[in-house]
Amino acid sequence: MGTGTSRNLDSSSHGSGEEKDDHHGGQLYVSLKMENYNVKGDLVPHVYGSVPLVGSWDTSKALPMERESTSMWELSFVVPPNHETLDFKFLLKPKYNNVPCIEEEGPNRQFMGGTLQGVARLAVFTFNTDEILEYQVFIKANRVSPFDLAASWRAYQENLEPSTVRGIPDVSINSLPEGAENGSSTSLDLDLEQYLVPAPATSVVYAANLTETPRSLKKGGAFSSADVSNKDTSVSNDRPATIKEMGVVIPDPPKLFHLPGMVESKSVGTISPIQKQDSYKALYVDRGVGSPRLVRSASAHTLTTGGKPDSGAKNKIPAAAGAVAAAAVADQMLGPKEDMHLAIVLVGLPARGKTFTAAKLTRYLRWLGHDTKHFNVGKYRRLKHGTNQSADFFRGDNTEGMEARNEVAALAMDDMTAWMQEGGQVGIFDATNSTSERRNMLMKMAEGKCKIIFLETICNDRQIIERNIRLKIQQSPDYADEPDFEAGYQDFKCRLDNYEKIYEPVNEGSYIKMIDMVSGHGGQIQVNNISGYLPGRIVFFLVNTHLTPRPILLTRHGESRDNVRARIGGDTPLSGNGELYAKKLTNFVEKRLKNERAASIWTSTLQRTIISANQIVGFPKIQWRALDEINAGVCDGMTYEEIKKNMPDEYESRKKDKLRYRYPRGESYLDVIQRLEPVIIELERQRAPVVVVSHQAVLRALYAYFADRPLHEIPHIEMPLHTIIEIQMGVTGVQEKRYKLMD
């Protein structure tokens, strides 16, 4: 039998009278979790009990808990202020059957005002006289304001004042139908699994395996091909750099400032030296197709347009739009040369979420168009020294071990700076880097090559650390050959102790400290000597990220009348098929999110998305103008055949480059990405599920962010009608399911 305790994670904060009396701040958000590594057949943990949790002690109506990881199950819900006493128990049974049904031993559990009453205990299930199964129980409660429920409290207080544009509330909270509980219809018999369709191949992969494949080790012959196949079976994450796709180059900053007659253009995202003489050529920073490319002449420092870019040119402009590009260009024109390349150097003890944070930051910067690569020193170590290193290898007094680890860190740093000299912009250097000596070594290696910002992750939450350790044992190649979980666990704990003995917090150079940020429940972030466009965006992103698992559902609106006529843009209502999909979508959401009362529904401001989500009740609804379909400008309402016939040049320009093509008086895909950045930040910040009902181009861009797809693929991503893409975000990365509700 296992050992453990039942815990209230926030018992200290909820124990004060001030906190308990603060009911006006919102509703109580409760999360129940159970953990056990010995799964018993197809038995799933369930919760049943009194109002408002279930409303019946009938075991057939028990609420199933959802699998959060291989060992953890979770159920979350919001409790109204007038029902803050819960009386419940756990039971084990199949998800879609009531037999067998094993109830936990002991009295009922009571949860009052955010605190578990009585003595904390395990959930114990007895199968027969000689077989007992124990689960650790974790209970957490937070008071959630209407803002955290993604609803505008002000609009709610003002009696849902209608939008001045369309007469439809910008923010609405539908009331539940009379007699319905938990937002689910009693007649709903939708089996979600029958709608599952194949999704692009994804699997839970150890994040470090997706980082850059060490080229310095390959060149130096430090390992054989056999070593690679045995030690690391991951696929290289090398791919065409997104910035290199832009075909836009700027000269070295000092040379640019000597150009006579340079003035700032009034159009957003464009910088132009106005031509006073015919010999002066224009410099364009424009996201639309058709702008001349700027290259340096091989024989002189003059600027020419229209030629092919120099293959060795550096400092390409990020593939971002408008003001984002302008700010990035300004950053590249100012400051020392090494500031044109940025190295984010991770610092922190093991099991603090460094690799997870690095992977998310890499994905975000790539999506914005910055050429970014993730270099994991642990991957270098495994390739050079193997995966069978015990905890003694990581002792501070192990001279050989220290030298070996510093050697692979230097190899990774050399690879990263060499890649930057070839045109790379941002390198994420992922390692513990736990001593001042190691960090000083890296700063010396970076002199004159790149600017270093240290990113230190500090976590004091023992539950999160314990979860990360267990995930490490399950997923890390270091323990792939260790069949005994407990032996691997004890070895990693010894490794962690060795690091803790020599750990020195960051106090040098430019740094960002993330202190207890990963839980999504507050924490703090400290910055020192941080300035510039890109470092500022990085800080803003990190402030809003956390590890809380939750699903994000992406779907296009139901078929519209313009879809039937093959016309782009417009704002027409739904067709008959579209109205049918709206009903199916309602049933799906109410079934899928019946236990997620903190979930929210996001739509664009166009009526086809609003109508598609209109019948979904019990959840806050938010309209985002940023989620509107790509603006087709003068082509709005036309078919592609009409564009081809009446505007052949525009048709051909779009056909050649859908990513950068901008409709006349409209938008390009890069413009859409720019306006979606606040949506991405808010999706990262949310702790509860979100349903996004939007449009094809917008969902392509959002999906590309979560799937880490290169920019040039975005306009070609399949995004069919009447299909729901479920993105599951959590500590193990991003996973995907697809449900096709109708043809």
Side-chain angles (χ1 to χ4, degrees):
M1 293 188 297
T3 60
T5 58
S6 173
R7 311 176 197 172
N8 185 323
L9 304 183
D10 284 347
S11 58
S12 59
S13 63
H14 289 285
S16 65
E18 179 180 350
E19 183 71 13
K20 289 183 180 179
D21 293 336
D22 188 20
H23 284 198
H24 69 276
Q27 296 177 321
L28 199 63
Y29 179 89
V30 180
S31 174
L32 302 179
K33 295 187 179 184
M34 296 178 67
E35 183 179 39
N36 185 288
Y37 287 89
N38 299 317
V39 179
K40 184 71 175 177
D42 61 348
L43 297 182
V44 174
H46 285 64
V47 179
Y48 77 129
S50 62
V51 173
L53 187 59
V54 177
S56 170
W57 286 97
D58 183 352
T59 58
S60 65
K61 297 181 180 179
L63 300 178
M65 303 181 77
E66 297 295 330
R67 185 185 290 276
E68 182 181 279
S69 65
T70 55
S71 61
M72 186 77 75
W73 299 81
E74 193 261 352
L75 173 67
S76 59
F77 50 89
V78 172
V79 184
N82 59 334
H83 288 97
E84 292 198 354
T85 298
L86 303 180
D87 196 18
F88 68 95
K89 294 190 78 172
F90 296 105
L91 58 86
L92 295 177
K93 69 170 189 171
K95 192 168 185 178
Y96 299 109
N97 197 347
N98 203 42
V99 178
C101 181
I102 300 96
E103 182 181 308
E104 72 165 312
E105 301 289 332
N108 297 344
R109 298 176 184 267
Q110 284 197 331
F111 192 73
M112 300 177 62
T115 305
L116 185 66
Q117 305 299 303
V119 179
R121 70 180 196 269
L122 295 168
V124 180
F125 301 90
T126 302
F127 291 87
N128 48 53
T129 55
D130 60 350
E131 186 174 7
I132 295 176
L133 192 63
E134 295 180 342
Y135 281 78
Q136 277 192 300
V137 177
F138 306 94
I139 302 178
K140 190 165 189 177
N142 291 93
R143 199 160 297 282
V144 184
S145 73
F147 293 101
D148 290 329
L149 292 174
S152 168
W153 184 249
R154 179 179 178 184
Y156 182 77
Q157 292 290 74
E158 293 175 356
N159 200 23
L160 303 180
E161 186 171 317
S163 165
T164 57
V165 177
R166 193 172 281 108
I168 300 173
D170 286 325
V171 179
S172 60
I173 306 178
N174 297 40
S175 59
L176 292 172
E178 188 173 348
E181 293 179 354
N182 294 317
S184 60
S185 170
T186 56
S187 62
L188 185 62
D189 58 357
L190 180 65
D191 181 6
L192 304 187
E193 300 301 318
Q194 67 176 305
Y195 293 100
L196 271 173
V197 294
T202 58
S203 60
V204 178
V205 180
Y206 186 55
N209 283 353
L210 298 176
T211 58
E212 295 309 305
T213 298
R215 54 180 176 177
S216 57
L217 292 180
K218 287 181 178 179
K219 293 176 182 177
F223 58 88
S224 66
S225 58
D227 292 332
V228 178
S229 61
N230 291 332
K231 300 297 183 183
D232 194 309
T233 59
S234 64
V235 178
S236 170
N237 202 35
D238 292 332
R239 62 178 186 172
T242 54
I243 298 177
K244 293 179 181 178
E245 302 162 6
M246 293 304 297
V248 182
V249 189
I250 62 173
D252 289 339
K255 299 169 186 175
L256 183 62
F257 289 129
H258 291 304
L259 290 174
M262 177 177 285
V263 298
E264 182 179 354
S265 170
K266 296 301 181 182
S267 63
V268 176
T270 304
I271 300 177
S272 309
I274 302 302
Q275 295 177 324
K276 291 187 176 181
Q277 302 177 21
D278 292 340
S279 60
Y280 294 133
K281 305 297 182 181
L283 168 62
Y284 293 87
V285 180
D286 193 290
R287 300 304 94 195
V289 169
S291 300
R293 297 179 177 182
L294 178 71
V295 298
R296 278 197 302 273
S297 169
S299 58
H301 297 319
T302 58
L303 305 178
T304 61
T305 60
K308 293 184 178 180
D310 181 4
S311 61
K314 305 293 191 297
N315 312 324
K316 296 181 177 65
I317 296 170
V324 174
V329 171
D331 262 14
Q332 290 191 359
M333 289 179 178
L334 301 173
K337 186 174 181 179
E338 60 265 28
D339 287 358
M340 300 173 192
H341 306 291
L342 183 62
I344 305 297
V345 177
L346 275 294
V347 177
L349 291 168
R352 263 54 175 188
K354 295 185 301 301
T355 298
F356 179 83
T357 301
K360 291 191 75 168
L361 184 57
T362 301
R363 189 177 74 226
Y364 171 70
L365 294 174
R366 282 175 175 167
W367 184 76
L368 286 180
H370 301 287
D371 194 1
T372 306
K373 285 191 175 183
H374 181 184
F375 296 82
N376 180 268
V377 175
K379 185 173 184 177
Y380 281 68
R381 169 180 55 78
R382 284 185 285 273
L383 287 171
K384 187 169 179 62
H385 300 289
T387 60
N388 56 349
Q389 304 298 331
S390 69
D392 288 341
F393 181 79
F394 302 92
R395 291 202 328 264
D397 58 356
N398 183 342
T399 305
E400 291 184 0
M402 289 286 287
E403 290 178 353
R405 286 185 284 134
N406 284 334
E407 178 189 12
V408 292
L411 287 172
M413 192 67 177
D414 283 338
D415 276 2
M416 186 173 72
T417 53
W419 165 75
M420 287 179 174
Q421 298 307 306
E422 295 168 1
Q425 188 182 5
V426 184
I428 312 291
F429 190 85
D430 181 11
T432 55
N433 300 313
S434 52
T435 65
S436 296
E437 180 181 0
R438 163 72 72 83
R439 297 192 290 269
N440 286 330
M441 178 191 82
L442 297 177
M443 285 192 290
K444 289 180 180 178
M445 294 182 68
E447 285 181 359
K449 299 176 182 177
C450 63
K451 175 183 175 65
I452 281 186
I453 294 178
F454 293 110
L455 173 56
E456 184 176 17
T457 59
I458 300 172
C459 179
N460 299 305
D461 189 321
R462 302 311 303 179
Q463 182 197 3
I464 292 177
I465 296 171
E466 180 70 16
R467 178 191 64 189
N468 290 348
I469 291 174
R470 292 183 177 275
L471 284 172
K472 194 93 170 178
I473 306 305
Q474 294 170 358
Q475 298 179 5
S476 173
D478 285 345
Y479 297 97
D481 297 328
E482 175 55 74
D484 186 346
F485 180 90
E486 187 61 28
Y489 177 84
Q490 293 302 327
D491 180 82
F492 189 84
K493 292 280 284 186
C494 291
R495 181 194 299 192
L496 184 55
D497 290 340
N498 290 333
Y499 273 108
E500 288 176 341
K501 292 174 184 177
I502 62 171
Y503 187 77
E504 298 171 324
V506 172
N507 288 305
E508 60 270 6
S510 300
Y511 62 77
I512 304 167
K513 285 179 183 275
M514 298 175 62
I515 305 173
D516 292 328
M517 292 284 293
V518 294
S519 66
H521 299 290
Q524 57 180 290
I525 190 164
Q526 299 176 2
V527 298
N528 180 65
N529 194 26
I530 301 295
S531 62
Y533 156 74
L534 194 52
R537 301 312 303 160
I538 290 171
V539 170
F540 185 64
F541 176 76
L542 294 173
V543 166
N544 289 282
T545 59
H546 55 84
L547 301 180
T548 306
R550 73 279 191 198
I552 295 173
L553 278 63
L554 307 177
T555 182
R556 289 176 66 184
H557 53 80
E559 181 187 67
S560 71
R561 295 178 185 176
D562 272 347
N563 288 144
V564 176
R565 296 190 289 259
R567 298 192 177 277
I568 63 176
D571 191 16
T572 58
L574 301 181
S575 67
N577 282 337
E579 291 175 355
L580 177 60
Y581 178 69
K583 295 178 182 178
K584 287 180 173 286
L585 176 63
T586 298
N587 286 344
F588 181 93
V589 171
E590 290 179 350
K591 179 76 172 181
R592 175 65 182 85
L593 303 181
K594 66 179 180 180
N595 302 323
E596 301 283 1
R597 303 316 320 152
S600 56
I601 315 296
W602 297 1
T603 71
S604 73
T605 64
L606 301 177
Q607 63 172 326
R608 54 189 183 272
T609 65
I610 297 171
I611 296 172
S612 296
N614 192 49
Q615 298 178 52
I616 303 173
V617 298
F619 301 100
K621 294 178 184 173
I622 303 295
Q623 293 178 28
W624 287 74
R625 192 168 299 278
L627 291 176
D628 285 1
E629 180 61 296
I630 186 171
N631 184 352
V634 300
C635 299
D636 190 79
M638 299 174 67
T639 67
Y640 287 117
E641 285 300 318
E642 290 171 344
I643 297 173
K644 183 177 182 180
K645 178 180 178 181
N646 301 316
M647 308 171 69
D649 291 343
E650 295 296 330
Y651 182 85
E652 289 301 320
S653 293
R654 178 181 178 274
K655 185 177 179 181
K656 290 178 182 177
D657 192 346
K658 287 182 68 176
L659 177 67
R660 296 165 191 78
Y661 172 77
R662 177 182 287 138
Y663 288 100
R665 301 182 186 176
E667 291 181 303
S668 68
Y669 268 93
L670 291 174
D671 294 325
V672 172
I673 291 171
Q674 181 195 353
R675 65 168 156 96
L676 282 176
E677 187 185 9
V679 178
I680 289 295
I681 294 295
E682 187 61 21
L683 285 173
E684 287 286 358
R685 192 186 71 85
Q686 290 289 313
R687 291 171 47 221
V690 177
V691 180
V692 180
V693 185
S694 189
H695 309 268
Q696 180 169 251
V698 170
L699 292 177
R700 281 171 169 168
L702 290 178
Y703 176 82
Y705 169 77
F706 293 113
D708 196 17
R709 298 280 286 272
L711 287 181
H712 67 86
E713 292 184 8
I714 291 179
H716 310 286
I717 293 174
E718 183 182 4
M719 198 60 57
L721 283 169
H722 306 156
T723 301
I724 296 171
I725 300 176
E726 179 177 326
I727 304 293
Q728 185 69 42
M729 299 176 64
V731 293
T732 56
V734 177
Q735 301 176 58
E736 174 187 347
K737 285 184 179 179
R738 293 199 177 202
Y739 301 89
K740 190 171 183 62
L741 301 192
M742 55 185 287
D743 293 328

